Amino acid sequence: MLGPNKYVQRMSVTAPSGESCILTFTMTATAAQPEPGTAAGAVAAASIPADQAATSPLPPPEPVWRLSSVRGEPQFGVGGAQPVGPSPELSPEQIVEAQLAALQRKDVSAAFQFLSPGSQKIIGDERQFAENMSRHRRYGGLLGHIAATSVRRCMARPSTYMEIVSVTSASGIRFVFCYILGHENGMWSIDFVKVIDDPRLVAAVDSSCAAQRKARPAEEH
C-alpha cells in the first residue's frame, strides 16, 4: 500500500509452459457516487431518513479501486548469464541477485556497477569500494559468501524497493542486510545496503529462513 489511494503488488507468475515472469499490478482508488438505480445507489439512498431525503446530500462517496496498469519483467534468476549493470529490462530483484552473485565470486568491480550514481559518488571509485568491503567485518562477509537467502521483498514506494537478505559468510557467520534500491532514468540500482542489528528483526529472519528450509523438501516432492 503506497497511500490511501494507491496500491502496488509484484507477483512471480509461472505459466503452464514453464515460462516465468514478474508482474507489477498498480491500482488506484477514486471516489465515486453510487449510480441511481443500482444496488449501491439503493443502499446509499436507504441510509438517508425519508424526511431528510430532499435536503440531505448523499453520503460521502466510497473509494472505488481500479487496475490502472500491469507491467511485465523477466523473472529474476532465469538464464545463465548474469547482467553486468543496471538496465531498463532488469527488475529490482535481478539487480540484488546480480550484485550478490558478483560478491560471491569476489568480483568487486562488477558489484560496484550495480550501485546508483549517487551511491558511487559517495563511495568514490571501485578501489575505495573494495577497501570499504575488506575493512568492514560484516560487509566483508558478502565477499565469497556461501549462501544468500531472500527473506522479504517489498515496494516501499513506486520508486523505492527494499529486500532483506540473510547471508552466510565464507567462515559460516550469518549476517542480515537490507538492500534499498531506487528507480532513476528508467532503471533500478542500489542506493544503500544496511546491516540489520535489531535482535527482534534478526530473530524474525531466522524464523523465516527456517520456514523456507522446512518447506523446500515438500516443494521438491
Side-chain angles (χ1 to χ4, degrees):
M1 199 77 173
L2 302 178
N5 300 317
K6 190 167 187 179
Y7 175 81
V8 173
Q9 181 167 339
R10 292 167 59 78
M11 300 181 67
S12 174
V13 179
T14 302
S17 63
E19 184 178 1
S20 298
C21 70
I22 298 291
L23 295 179
T24 301
F25 296 85
T26 301
M27 300 185 70
T28 55
T30 55
Q33 288 284 3
E35 295 183 9
T38 64
V43 171
S47 65
I48 303 175
D51 58 346
Q52 300 177 16
T55 58
S56 297
L58 289 173
E62 292 290 331
V64 176
W65 287 93
R66 293 185 173 89
L67 183 65
S68 60
S69 67
V70 180
R71 180 171 180 263
E73 303 164 3
Q75 171 71 284
F76 48 88
V78 174
Q82 288 286 353
V84 296
S87 75
E89 293 77 26
L90 297 178
S91 67
E93 295 93 340
Q94 286 176 298
I95 296 293
V96 174
E97 184 188 63
Q99 195 197 53
L100 286 170
L103 292 171
Q104 186 176 42
R105 62 179 186 267
K106 298 184 179 181
D107 190 345
V108 178
S109 176
F112 183 78
Q113 305 309 314
F114 294 99
L115 300 179
S116 66
S119 184
Q120 290 183 356
K121 186 176 181 180
I122 292 171
I123 292 172
D125 54 21
E126 295 176 12
R127 179 185 59 80
Q128 290 172 303
F129 180 57
E131 289 178 357
N132 291 343
M133 294 287 295
S134 61
R135 281 201 305 263
H136 198 292
R137 182 179 70 90
R138 285 175 287 192
Y139 286 111
L142 288 164
L143 294 172
H145 62 267
I146 298 171
T149 303
S150 177
V151 178
R152 176 76 174 173
R153 298 180 173 114
C154 75
M155 294 290 296
R157 290 190 293 273
S159 59
T160 303
Y161 170 83
M162 301 175 67
E163 182 168 346
I164 295 176
V165 181
S166 174
V167 173
T168 303
S169 70
S171 60
I173 301 174
R174 188 182 54 76
F175 301 106
V176 180
F177 300 94
C178 179
Y179 273 78
I180 302 174
L181 283 72
H183 195 257
E184 186 178 357
N185 298 324
M187 297 182 291
W188 290 98
S189 56
I190 299 168
D191 285 331
F192 304 100
V193 180
K194 296 185 177 182
V195 178
I196 295 181
D197 288 322
D198 189 321
R200 294 170 298 177
L201 290 176
V202 173
V205 169
D206 284 338
S207 298
S208 179
C209 289
Q212 289 186 41
R213 288 193 297 269
K214 187 176 180 180
R216 204 164 289 140
E219 292 174 355
E220 292 172 355
H221 292 296

